[in-house]
């Protein structure tokens, strides 16, 4: 089936699914890289997992970039979907992401003032990787769960 002949809401649905899948895999990649670099450092299995996730991110990025040509500019830049349900799911993903990362940063701030030693040894780039991974996962997984009933 040629996807250029498909209606706009279906193209937006393909776009949102691919975006959620890309965000989920990218988040798992960042979190796995954080765990590998901070805790394990010698496991060959996790190194292969990180490499496989990196290849999956590259493949999903190419698929995502190809699907961007079939949607409008307002969907890409603003996230304003023409379908109300897709708009609702998209906004719900952002709300989950903002709430979870905000609560995580508040918890880290409070905990680091009480117990400063574990956070003093954690490099800033590793903390940033984990926070970005948490943000991507908390955006992508709820969207995939809310759209799981759709057949593609």
């Amino acid at each position: 089936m040629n996807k250029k002949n498909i209606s706009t809401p279906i193209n937006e649905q393909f776009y949102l699914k691919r975006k959620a899948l890309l965000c989920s895999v990218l988040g798992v990649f960042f979190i796995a890289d954080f765990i590998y670099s901070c805790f394990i450092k010698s496991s060959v299995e996790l190194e292969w997992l990180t490499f496989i996730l990196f290849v999956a991110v590259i493949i999903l990025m190419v698929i995502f970039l190809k699907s961007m040509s079939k949607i409008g500019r307002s969907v890409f830049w603003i996230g304003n979907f023409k379908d109300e349900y897709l708009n609702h799911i998209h906004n719900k993903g952002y709300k989950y992401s903002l709430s979870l990362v905000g609560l995580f940063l508040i918890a880290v701030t409070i905990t680091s003032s009480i117990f400063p030693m574990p956070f003093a040894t954690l490099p800033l780039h590793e903390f940033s990787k984990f926070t970005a991974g948490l943000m991507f996962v908390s955006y992508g997984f709820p969207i995939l769960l809310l759209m799981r009933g759709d057949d593609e």
Side-chain angles (χ1 to χ4, degrees):
M1 179 180 350
N2 191 358
K3 290 185 181 171
K4 290 187 179 186
N5 297 335
I6 298 175
S7 67
T8 302
I10 294 178
N11 280 333
E12 289 177 351
Q13 181 180 3
F14 286 136
Y15 170 77
L16 187 59
K17 277 186 181 180
R18 289 180 180 137
K19 182 178 179 180
L21 186 64
L22 175 67
C23 286
S24 299
V25 171
L26 192 61
V28 170
F29 170 73
F30 280 142
I31 292 173
D33 191 36
F34 168 77
I35 291 170
Y36 172 72
S37 60
C38 285
F39 300 114
I40 297 174
K41 295 184 183 173
S42 64
S43 175
V44 176
E45 294 85 18
L46 196 60
E47 188 173 301
W48 277 101
L49 174 69
T50 306
F51 177 72
I52 289 170
L53 285 172
F54 178 72
V55 170
V57 164
I58 297 298
I59 291 170
L60 287 171
M61 185 71 80
V62 169
I63 292 170
F64 177 71
L65 289 173
K66 287 174 69 177
S67 71
M68 285 177 15
S69 65
K70 299 175 184 78
I71 59 162
R73 289 183 181 179
S74 66
V75 173
F76 178 72
W77 290 107
I78 304 170
N80 190 12
F81 291 90
K82 292 182 181 176
D83 188 80
E84 291 179 13
Y85 183 65
L86 295 177
N87 216 4
H88 169 72
I89 290 175
H90 177 69
N91 289 335
K92 200 167 197 113
Y94 274 128
K95 286 178 187 176
Y96 286 148
S97 179
L98 179 66
S99 299
L100 187 66
V101 171
L103 288 174
F104 172 72
L105 291 175
I106 290 170
V108 166
T109 303
I110 292 171
T111 307
S112 67
S113 64
I114 298 171
F115 305 107
M117 197 53 169
F119 298 102
T121 60
L122 184 67
L124 182 62
H125 69 279
E126 296 298 333
F127 179 75
S128 299
K129 269 196 277 189
F130 183 76
T131 306
L134 186 65
M135 179 182 61
F136 283 127
V137 165
S138 63
Y139 171 75
F141 280 165
I143 291 175
L144 290 175
L145 287 175
L146 288 170
M147 296 181 79
R148 71 180 178 273
D150 299 332
D151 293 326
E152 201 173 44

